[in-house]
Amino acid sequence: MSTRSRAGDVAGVRAALVPLAAAQERLLAGLSPIAPQRQSLADAVGSVLAGDVHAPADVPPTAVALHSGVAVRALETVGAGPYAPSPLAAGPQRLSAGDPLPAGCDALLPWDAVDLDGPIPLALAAATPGDMIRRPGEDARAGALLGAAGGRLTAAACAAIAAAGIADVAVRIPRLRIDGAEGGPAASLLRDMARRFGAVMAAPGGDADIVACIGPLSARFDTVDGGLALRPGGEDMAVGTSGGVPAVLVPDRPDAVVAAWFGLFRPALGGLASAVPEAFPASLAGKAASTAGFADLVLMRRAEGDPALWEVLAVGDLPLSRLAAATAAALVPSESEGYPPGATMPAMLL
């Protein structure tokens, strides 16, 4: 592992530490996209799609009720009103949301807009074709893209895909193994972030695509580069291998785990899953000052009074109280000295 004198000046410290970009390059060089596997939609939420998903047919295949109401022919209701009801030739049918429309009907009226008590059903309001219904293919046409390769499957996306009659999809699910302090808060935090990203946890000693060694240097960890120019905690991080598997050494600290997540683990898991980058532009309500030569993690949350802006909570040094309040994070590149108020930087949700 790279060494440095703690008594040295800042310039000496920067020179001794491995730039984050170099550590990322060396970690990712040992990784390649994993093979896809088919998963039921219920189990695939949060995972990354291995291929495009298209609607196999029009959705819905026939016109359906969008709300509860009475199915009618719109032409029979022209000019209808409470004081000028229109007789309905066909017996109207009460439908619930999602029910298919009877043949010949092209609209719905609310329950109270149809008088069904007399000998002849009466429309008490006018309807136009398409009112309160979904026409065939209005949700999705046959062949429509429902999910793109590399995109993450949200619960809403899974619901839309299921509505198209698709029961399972091909996804890439990386396996992360945690060695060392598996039961501590740092490991629990990493485990939670990885699961929300769509990774699965490998059993201790089990097969994995990437390994997190938390705590002191393990005999099973073969160091490639150590002492990273990443804050917080980078001085005690390293990238290497563990049993031939790409691995990251992380100090047993929640703040360091968050920095390692955004700087190393998330890019690595994204590469394993062939995930499309998920950063969004965050406009800063205040400055994010950084020190050139270090990649500093920035914690942020929506600014009070202006949800279009993001309040900077901490940079580089991340007190746990600020970590608990944060909802998003970003990395200031090592060649930058930060961002002024009003600037936009790429951020990701925690």
Side-chain angles (χ1 to χ4, degrees), residues 99-199:
D99 288 342
L101 262 67
C105 294
D106 57 5
L108 255 68
L109 282 173
W111 300 115
D112 57 0
V114 179
D115 181 357
L116 299 175
D117 294 332
I120 299 175
L122 300 173
L124 306 179
T128 57
D131 282 354
M132 298 173 59
I133 70 169
R134 278 274 194 265
R135 293 184 175 92
E138 207 165 46
D139 279 322
R141 287 294 184 188
L145 183 65
L146 302 178
R152 191 167 308 286
L153 276 171
T154 63
C158 284
I161 293 171
I166 299 171
D168 55 61
V169 290
V171 293
R172 289 188 171 92
I173 303 178
R175 299 165 299 171
L176 170 68
R177 190 179 76 231
I178 297 178
D179 291 342
E182 296 98 338
S188 296
L189 177 59
L190 178 58
R191 190 176 294 114
D192 179 67
M193 290 189 294
R195 282 174 174 159
R196 285 188 284 121
F197 189 80

Side-chain angles (χ1 to χ4, degrees), residues 17-18 226-238 249 251 253 256 259:
L17 296 176
V18 178
L228 309 185
L230 170 65
R231 298 194 301 192
E235 296 90 341
D236 298 313
M237 295 182 195
L249 175 69
R253 294 165 36 192

